[in-house]
């Protein structure tokens, strides 16, 4: 049991956040589980406890800055050192370019960007004082190109990747590492809704282990599965517009 170490995870009620929670439970960490769906968080908490660890549920919306700040203060006040903070909560969704309203895009932009700053910022003074800690924000391989019809999603993920770079540079001297996690397709509720081909789809438990390893190493940007890093992301970054228009990416 390693419950002198604590990890705070948003989006812990399903998908990547849920499996990160189980992976940390197996390592004996005390886990802060944050998201909106209380019933799902309670199930994740029970499973963490059955694995042999302890967890506390924080029912919150990452758009609620005050709720995030209060959750962080409560989590900080619990015994033990903070090992890692994961701003993982996020949503996908189409831009709805013909809707005549910014509503759909603004929802994705705000949850994915402000949700990450609301989650991480309250912890930074504490981590600086502690002189250690790891911050991870779940970006995406989609951050490497503005995607047709999903530009709010790809733009939000580019924004958080860029924010991670700034935080990483500023916080390095305080012993804090910052990782922008850029997954390809990982099995989750988000990808279960997709009706497009999902090359190199990875199981969630495998993804969680890979993420923890990269975050523990203090990687600045972690692109995975490896096929995305080596093949697809370079293509996304450097493919000419005419080609992208042709394949409709
Ligand atoms: N799966 C992939 O292929 C993939 C690839 C690249 C990046 N990502 C990123 O990975 C992260 C996790 O997604 P996932 O794939 O695991 O999908 P998921 O199963 O849909 O999980 C999304 C999580 O975010 C939480 N969430 C959404 N809006 C929230 C809000 N306003 N406040 C608090 N929590 C909120 C959800 O919980 P509640 O609904 O209970 O609030 C849920 O726990 C996201 O940032 C996503 O963009 C996923």
């Amino acid at each position: 049991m390693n419950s002198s170490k604590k990890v705070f995870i948003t989006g812990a009620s399903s998908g990547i956040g849920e499996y990160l929670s189980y992976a940390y439970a197996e390592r004996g960490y005390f886990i802060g589980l944050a998201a909106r769906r209380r019933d799902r968080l309670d199930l994740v908490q029970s499973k963490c406890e059955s694995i042999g660890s302890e967890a506390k549920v924080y029912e919150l919306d990452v758009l609620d800055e005050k709720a995030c700040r209060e959750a962080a203060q409560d989590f900080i006040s619990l015994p033990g050192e903070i090992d890692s903070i994961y701003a993982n909560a996020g949503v996908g969704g189409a831009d709805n370019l013909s809707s005549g309203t910014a509503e759909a895009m603004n929802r994705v932009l705000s949850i994915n960007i402000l949700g990450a700053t609301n989650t991480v910022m309250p912890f930074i003074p504490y981590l600086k004082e502690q002189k250690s800690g790891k911050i991870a924000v779940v970006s995406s391989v989609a951050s490497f190109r503005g995607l047709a019809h999903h530009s709010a999603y790809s733009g939000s993920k580019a924004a958080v990747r860029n924010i991670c770079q700034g935080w990483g540079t500023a916080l390095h001297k305080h012993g804090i590492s910052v990782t922008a996690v850029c997954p390809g397709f990982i099995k989750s509720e988000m990808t279960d809704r997709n009706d497009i081909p999902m090359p190199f789809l990875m199981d969630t438990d495998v993804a969680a282990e890979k993420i923890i390893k990269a975050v523990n190493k203090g990687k600045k940007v972690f692109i995975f599965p490896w096929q995305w890093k080596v093949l697809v992301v370079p293509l996304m970054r450097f493919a000419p517009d005419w080609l992208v228009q042709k394949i409709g990416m």
Side-chain angles (χ1 to χ4, degrees):
M1 186 92 171
N2 189 17
S3 60
S4 61
K5 293 214 174 194
K6 301 184 287 182
V7 177
F8 188 85
I9 302 170
T10 67
S13 58
S14 62
I16 294 171
E18 176 183 354
Y19 278 83
L20 280 171
S21 306
Y22 301 148
Y24 277 106
E26 269 159 19
R27 290 162 170 79
Y29 284 60
F30 184 95
I31 309 146
L33 305 165
R36 294 166 302 181
R37 286 171 295 173
R38 176 93 210 189
D39 54 335
R40 294 294 306 259
L41 289 172
D42 287 343
L43 288 174
V44 177
Q45 181 190 34
S46 300
K47 192 157 169 195
C48 288
E49 287 171 356
S50 74
I51 291 169
S53 187
E54 284 178 280
K56 181 164 182 180
V57 165
Y58 295 93
E59 181 187 341
L60 57 79
D61 188 322
V62 291
L63 285 178
D64 185 340
E65 193 267 339
K66 183 165 173 275
C68 290
R69 198 158 19 91
E70 286 172 356
Q73 280 159 3
D74 181 80
F75 192 69
I76 287 166
S77 75
L78 301 173
E81 170 190 331
I82 295 188
D83 182 82
S84 303
I85 307 297
Y86 282 85
N88 161 72
V91 291
D95 293 341
N96 289 352
L97 290 178
S98 304
S99 66
T101 157
E103 208 180 314
M105 288 189 71
N106 288 353
R107 176 176 166 270
V108 172
L109 288 166
S110 54
I111 294 175
N112 292 356
I113 303 173
L114 306 186
T117 53
N118 285 342
T119 300
V120 174
M121 289 300 286
F123 284 105
I124 289 180
Y126 177 83
L127 296 181
K128 279 172 77 172
E129 207 169 296
Q130 192 181 259
K131 295 188 177 58
S132 69
K134 302 168 202 111
I135 295 168
V137 181
V138 182
S139 171
S140 170
V141 293
S143 68
F144 292 100
R145 183 149 199 136
L147 297 182
H149 302 289
H150 290 84
S151 67
Y153 185 73
S154 55
S156 67
K157 295 303 184 180
V160 293
R161 184 162 52 77
N162 188 288
I163 287 169
C164 282
Q165 191 175 32
W167 279 344
T169 307
L171 297 174
H172 174 75
K173 63 173 179 278
H174 299 284
I176 301 165
S177 66
V178 183
T179 304
V181 178
C182 299
F185 291 117
I186 311 298
K187 248 198 107 24
S188 73
E189 289 184 4
M190 191 179 273
T191 48
D192 287 348
R193 285 191 289 271
N194 280 349
D195 56 2
I196 53 166
M198 291 188 280
F200 319 118
L201 181 69
M202 182 177 270
D203 284 338
T204 333
D205 55 340
V206 178
E209 288 296 334
K210 288 191 181 298
I211 292 169
I212 293 173
K213 206 168 156 197
V215 169
N216 284 345
K217 276 188 181 162
K219 278 197 176 227
K220 294 186 175 75
V221 179
F222 177 50
I223 304 168
F224 75 106
W226 67 266
Q227 294 93 333
W228 281 88
K229 182 177 176 177
V230 174
L231 300 170
V232 191
V233 167
L235 184 69
M236 289 169 79
R237 292 177 82 178
F238 302 116
D241 284 341
W242 65 262
L243 178 63
V244 175
Q245 282 160 5
K246 205 164 182 166
I247 55 180
M249 198 159 74

